[in-house]
Amino acid sequence: MNPPKQQTSTSADPAGAPHDAGTVTLLPRTTDSPTFLQSCHLTANASAGPNARIRVRTWLTMGRWAGNVDQGSRVADKLVDNAVRHAKAFPSDGGVVTLRVFGFADTGDLAIEVDDALPRFPGFPQVANLSSEVQGPPKGLWWVAHYRGRLSWDVKRDVTHTVIGKTVQALIPQTWDGAA
């Protein structure tokens, strides 16, 4: 059984979902005609992040993404690993999270999305506002800021508009020169 299809909220939550609207950042962009689109369900275990990294490296190469493939695959690894460690897997197929990757034709930017079954993102403001400067060993979602990406999230709904989890999205620019 696959997790239900995503229905993204675009306004205040009329159903009274279990989240604080002040901490939700709506997913900023989607596209009807991506330059490429790949997705998969990953078993939520210690191998999920490295598995995502290998898959995304292949997908970005096959999709001829002009950005840095290592950067995109590293961010996918960290998003998936974060979902496995700090969120909740969908119970289907023994516990999975969903990974989606697509490119934007107009900017060349990359969107990496991970769906999990926890409908909130504790500590999101701190994570979304991390400095890109290295302060100690680099960890987790810091890599999004390091690559000048933007992190967003929203609740995930099924076709009946019932909240079933969340989608976390990282938008990674096609170009990054490594300068602070």
Side-chain angles (χ1 to χ4, degrees):
M1 180 175 136
N2 292 330
K5 296 228 184 251
Q6 177 178 354
Q7 300 291 320
T8 302
S9 168
T10 57
S11 61
D13 185 7
H19 69 274
D20 175 4
T23 64
V24 174
T25 300
L26 299 179
L27 302 179
R29 292 188 67 176
T30 58
T31 183
D32 292 329
S33 55
T35 56
F36 58 89
L37 170 65
Q38 296 288 337
S39 67
C40 68
H41 302 297
L42 298 166
T43 302
N45 61 28
S47 299
N51 189 353
R53 191 174 192 153
I54 292 167
R55 287 174 185 248
V56 170
R57 182 181 305 277
T58 303
W59 293 344
L60 296 180
T61 301
M62 289 173 35
R64 296 183 178 172
W65 186 53
N68 186 306
V69 171
D70 184 56
Q71 293 169 4
S73 62
R74 178 174 302 201
V75 169
D77 172 346
K78 301 308 179 186
L79 285 178
V80 168
D81 186 62
N82 191 69
V84 169
R85 289 176 186 252
H86 304 292
K88 189 167 105 176
F90 291 104
S92 60
D93 299 323
V96 299
V97 295
T98 303
L99 170 65
R100 255 180 324 283
V101 177
F102 55 94
F104 293 98
D106 59 343
T107 63
D109 293 347
L110 178 68
I112 304 167
E113 297 181 341
V114 176
D115 298 339
D116 64 61
L118 184 67
R120 58 190 188 284
F121 193 143
F124 176 75
Q126 293 82 13
V127 174
N129 294 309
L130 286 172
S131 167
S132 62
E133 295 179 21
V134 178
Q135 298 175 354
K139 296 192 295 188
L141 297 181
W142 170 83
W143 288 101
V144 176
H146 182 64
Y147 295 138
R148 307 298 185 262
R150 291 188 322 247
L151 192 64
S152 306
W153 79 280
D154 200 359
V155 294
K156 178 178 175 62
R157 299 172 186 276
D158 66 12
V159 294
T160 66
H161 302 288
T162 302
V163 174
I164 58 168
K166 73 175 170 295
T167 299
V168 177
Q169 181 188 73
L171 290 176
I172 306 299
Q174 179 178 323
T175 57
W176 180 78
D177 63 6

